[in-house]
Amino acid sequence: MRQLTLLAAVFAAAVSTAVCAENRLVAAVIIAEAGGEGDTGMSAVAEVIQTRSIKSGASATAVVSAPKQFSCLNSGTNGFIDAKSKHPKWGLALKLSSLVESRSLQTSYSKGATHFLVTGTKAKWAAKSKRVAVVGKTSFYKL
């Protein structure tokens, strides 16, 4: 019985570590994409991640890790999380990430958007998409 308890504790610690690593990646993406846009901008980007997660049935980590979906990850993740974790809004990003992973973020700044880009920049997908919100310097679109 004692062995089983120890095994359960080791398993729980491993799961906790994995969840923390996933939350940290999503939090780092939120910082990279909207760390300069304040709480509202960060929440709006988190909403987009959550919306994509719900629509696809994939985890938030899978959503941000998909190739060519979040430009901040196009060069890989080597050192990315450590660099972003030094941002003054890191605590908020972690909270948002946790809410997104559990699909319980309840804000609606992005108005159900599935994509975003800096206002004034061009992307092929944006030309045939409907802009549904602007938060700070970021435009949000539904595809």
Side-chain angles (χ1 to χ4, degrees), residues 58-94:
S59 71
T61 303
V63 167
V64 300
S65 299
K68 305 291 183 187
Q69 294 301 302
F70 289 84
S71 59
C72 62
L73 293 179
N74 287 350
S75 299
T77 60
N78 194 13
F80 178 73
I81 294 171
D82 287 339
K84 299 305 173 195
S85 69
K86 293 170 178 50
H87 192 280
K89 293 280 187 174
W90 180 247
L92 173 62
L94 283 173

Side-chain angles (χ1 to χ4, degrees), residues 32-142:
E33 298 289 358
E37 294 295 316
D39 297 7
T40 304
M42 290 173 63
S43 294
V45 166
E47 288 171 25
V48 169
I49 297 167
Q50 178 174 273
T51 298
R52 287 190 190 186
S53 174
I54 291 167
K55 285 182 180 258
S56 68
S59 71
T61 303
V63 167
V64 300
S65 299
K68 305 291 183 187
Q69 294 301 302
F70 289 84
S71 59
C72 62
L73 293 179
N74 287 350
S75 299
T77 60
N78 194 13
F80 178 73
I81 294 171
D82 287 339
K84 299 305 173 195
S85 69
K86 293 170 178 50
H87 192 280
K89 293 280 187 174
W90 180 247
L92 173 62
L94 283 173
K95 287 177 188 168
L96 290 168
S97 173
S98 180
L99 290 169
V100 167
E101 284 289 355
S102 64
R103 298 182 177 171
S104 57
L105 182 61
Q106 296 293 316
T107 57
S108 61
Y109 303 114
S110 72
K111 308 284 190 243
T114 56
H115 292 72
F116 61 88
L117 60 95
V118 174
T119 302
T121 59
K122 298 198 186 288
K124 289 179 186 178
W125 57 261
K128 49 191 166 193
S129 305
K130 181 180 180 186
R131 183 167 70 179
V132 294
V134 176
V135 178
K137 298 175 187 167
T138 307
S139 293
F140 292 85
Y141 298 83
K142 278 188 184 178

Side-chain angles (χ1 to χ4, degrees), residues 1-9:
M1 188 62 132
R2 197 169 176 82
Q3 235 178 349
L4 187 58
T5 305
L6 179 59
L7 183 59

